[in-house]
Amino acid sequence: MTTTFETERYGDRLFAASHRDENERLECLAGTFDPVSAENLLALGLDARWTALDVGAGSGSLSAWLASVAASPDQVTAVDRDTRFLTPLAAEGVRVVEADITDPAFHPGRYDLVHARFVLMHLRDRDEVLRRLASWVKPGGLLVLSDALAAGGETSPHEAYRRTITAYWRMLAETIGSDRHCVAQYPRALTELGLRDIGLHTHLPVVGLHDAFSRFLALTLDQSRGRLLGAGLPEAAYDEAVKHLNDPSAREVFFAMATCWGRTPVLP
Ligand SMILES: C[S@@+](CC[C@H](N)C(=O)[O-])C[C@H]1O[C@@H](n2cnc3c(N)ncnc32)[C@H](O)[C@@H]1O
């Protein structure tokens, strides 16, 4: 008989789209990082002619922004395992596809841009999925991958915050297989896949200085509370961390968004 351990996946139970706060949590994540992603993509040459695949589109806000840049919204395809938050996008002409990107039978076609943000880090089979994402990029097109790079929480001088974030990353790895450092391997992985013009950009928001990110962290810890206490984090430490984060003078970091990109070779 299989157990939950090592079989649970992102969104099955933890961070399920059906959770009452999940749309708000994803919107807070997007509100924190969309401006940075947009700036990166424009600097990489995104223009109105490009076709784009947004993988694990979540709340759909970045897909909507991509569609606003494109000459026509149907140049953008937003794919997710659960597309309930993407219905408004479909009404605006964006192609919305409900699919599991780990399914080897899923072939979405080829695009000028394949973009995946905060998705690969949560997949146990990320190396294989990364290869497949690269295969969906047209020759000369771009693969752009953003993921969290854990920073600050596990070394914070605030004991309760440090214990809570340390327990959080461990719990995430043990339940859904998330890797809080895998993005550091992407420059090498993209090079080994034959991509060129590799680059990396990081952005580190501060909890307490950025409202959307502070709210994202609060909702993330709230959804994780039962798992954290179940894994042995004392309730007093969790409560003290939440109290600390509610203090407007708190200044903590949680993770940086690291964005790695590469261009596929142009065929001779
Ligand atoms: C942390 S959210 C990131 C959302 C969005 N990319 C963003 O950065 O705002 C991860 C998203 O990936 C989706 N996802 C997770 N595993 C997936 C899979 N195997 N196939 C397709 N989508 C997946 C989830 O449903 C969720 O919407």
Side-chain angles (χ1 to χ4, degrees):
M1 183 176 159
T2 54
T3 62
T4 304
F5 187 67
E6 287 190 354
T7 57
E8 182 179 346
R9 303 172 68 202
Y10 182 105
D12 284 349
R13 290 194 293 141
L14 190 61
F15 310 137
S18 58
H19 189 282
R20 67 180 186 282
D21 291 334
E22 187 56 10
N23 195 27
E24 183 189 356
R25 198 183 73 90
L26 290 176
E27 283 179 348
C28 288
L29 182 70
T32 306
F33 295 107
D34 275 3
V36 183
S37 295
E39 196 176 325
N40 283 336
L41 290 167
L42 290 172
L44 288 166
L46 176 73
D47 77 30
R49 292 165 295 179
W50 288 26
T51 56
L53 179 70
D54 191 19
V55 173
S59 69
S61 64
L62 198 82
S63 302
W65 178 80
L66 287 167
S68 75
V69 173
S72 170
D74 65 1
Q75 288 166 229
V76 178
T77 301
V79 58
D80 205 289
R81 244 179 113 197
D82 190 317
T83 55
R84 75 184 69 193
F85 306 133
L86 303 177
T87 312
L89 278 188
E92 289 167 20
V94 172
R95 294 172 191 266
V96 172
V97 177
E98 188 156 281
D100 180 344
I101 57 164
T102 66
D103 177 358
F106 177 57
H107 296 292
R110 300 187 90 182
Y111 297 81
D112 298 304
L113 168 69
V114 173
H115 176 266
R117 189 178 68 186
F118 303 127
V119 180
L120 272 189
M121 65 175 289
H122 296 301
L123 303 179
R124 288 194 181 82
D125 37 4
R126 72 185 61 84
D127 293 345
E128 176 55 25
V129 175
L130 203 162
R131 274 191 287 279
R132 300 184 63 236
L133 294 184
S135 77
W136 300 339
V137 182
K138 285 182 185 171
L142 269 179
L143 177 60
V144 179
L145 305 172
S146 296
D147 266 317
L149 187 59
E154 291 154 298
T155 53
S156 170
H158 190 283
E159 187 185 349
Y161 180 70
R162 185 176 68 247
R163 290 181 74 181
T164 300
I165 297 302
T166 301
Y168 171 78
W169 287 123
R170 189 183 312 126
M171 178 277 291
L172 223 56
E174 288 177 355
T175 52
I176 56 176
S178 306
D179 185 330
R180 67 195 187 283
H181 294 135
C182 62
V183 67
Q185 307 308 320
Y186 295 172
R188 181 184 43 75
L190 296 195
T191 303
E192 286 173 2
L193 285 171
L195 275 68
R196 297 166 183 176
D197 305 331
I198 309 287
L200 186 85
H201 175 273
T202 56
H203 174 70
L204 182 59
V206 176
V207 177
L209 293 180
H210 196 298
D211 289 350
F213 195 54
S214 308
R215 180 76 180 144
F216 168 77
L217 175 54
L219 292 172
T220 298
L221 290 180
D222 187 55
Q223 284 202 37
S224 308
R225 183 178 182 280
R227 307 290 186 116
L228 293 173
L229 302 193
L233 178 69
E235 191 167 6
Y238 176 91
D239 290 345
E240 184 59 32
V242 169
K243 189 171 157 221
H244 168 59
L245 294 171
N246 282 334
D247 180 341
S249 68
R251 301 286 180 264
E252 297 287 354
V253 292
F254 179 25
F255 61 76
M257 176 176 78
T259 299
C260 182
W261 59 85
R263 193 175 293 284
T264 54
V266 181
L267 298 176

